[in-house]
Amino acid sequence: MSESSQGSQTPSHSPFSGFRQAMQDGELKLWVQRAIFRLSQWIKQPNGMISHYKNSLYGSWEKWLGLAAGITGLLMLLSPAAFWQWQLPVLLLIIFIAPLFFDLSKSFKEFFSAYPGQHLVGETIVLDQPIMNGHGTIHIQREDWAVSGPDCAAGTRVKIIGIDDRKLYVALVD
């Protein structure tokens, strides 16, 4: 037997080896932190999760009342004697929680389909490096971004007017 065949034993690869590697590299932690940050920023926006909940609750409260009454009626049908004390609390609980569950999948779909860095659009920033020949880079929120816009020197104030993948489009601020 040759020396190379004895010393080269392949390690067993488990289905979670990629997950373990991502945890060791810190990628998973970074992804979770970014997701939490994006969720917290999205909740605060005028069209965020809280706004969706309010609109859904106030806009179609009759639907939630009907759903709650139906579920409460079914629960009473199963145990009429023991359930009468809990009718009103269960009814109110279902009315206020139902919009969350019905809109949750829609809200998470909107959240996870949003572009990373979309929250930067509209912000005014100061360039730390010049934009030459329409291209440059900038470091924002611990990330490097490619920048595209008019040629200008470092220290110039620009407004982010768009984003495409990992490139920010900027315009000069007057």
Side-chain angles (χ1 to χ4, degrees):
M1 279 190 152
S2 71
E3 198 174 300
S4 64
S5 65
Q6 288 176 347
S8 65
Q9 295 177 354
T10 59
S12 62
H13 291 288
S14 71
F16 300 107
S17 62
F19 180 75
R20 269 191 234 132
Q21 184 64 34
M23 281 184 62
Q24 289 172 350
D25 293 344
E27 292 173 22
L28 185 63
K29 183 178 177 183
L30 181 65
W31 185 86
V32 169
Q33 287 173 342
R34 174 181 266 166
I36 290 171
F37 174 76
R38 286 178 52 204
L39 180 61
S40 68
Q41 294 301 310
W42 183 72
I43 286 173
K44 295 175 190 176
Q45 292 178 354
N47 62 346
M49 188 182 291
I50 294 173
S51 178
H52 281 283
Y53 173 76
K54 285 181 188 177
N55 292 339
S56 179
L57 180 64
Y58 299 144
S60 54
W61 64 270
E62 303 93 355
K63 177 171 61 172
W64 308 124
L65 179 62
L67 179 71
I71 292 172
T72 305
L74 285 174
L75 292 173
M76 284 186 62
L77 185 64
L78 296 175
S79 177
F83 195 71
W84 71 270
Q85 298 103 343
W86 297 100
Q87 284 179 352
L88 187 59
V90 167
L91 189 74
L92 291 174
L93 184 70
I94 293 172
I95 288 171
F96 288 108
I97 290 180
L100 287 175
F101 287 111
F102 282 92
D103 289 340
L104 198 59
S105 64
K106 178 183 168 189
S107 298
F108 278 121
K109 183 178 179 182
E110 288 175 11
F111 170 71
F112 284 111
S113 66
Y115 253 48
Q118 189 174 15
H119 63 282
L120 296 172
V121 175
E123 299 234 355
T124 302
I125 57 173
V126 177
L127 295 174
D128 53 357
Q129 296 179 11
I131 297 177
M132 295 186 299
N133 298 326
H135 301 287
T137 59
I138 190 163
H139 189 77
I140 302 175
Q141 297 173 349
R142 297 182 302 205
E143 293 186 58
D144 289 325
W145 293 85
V147 179
S148 182
D151 291 350
C152 50
T156 306
R157 290 174 39 94
V158 293
K159 183 174 184 175
I160 301 172
I161 57 172
I163 185 170
D164 181 27
D165 195 24
R166 299 287 301 163
K167 183 183 280 190
L168 299 174
Y169 294 95
V170 298
L172 292 172
V173 175
D174 295 327

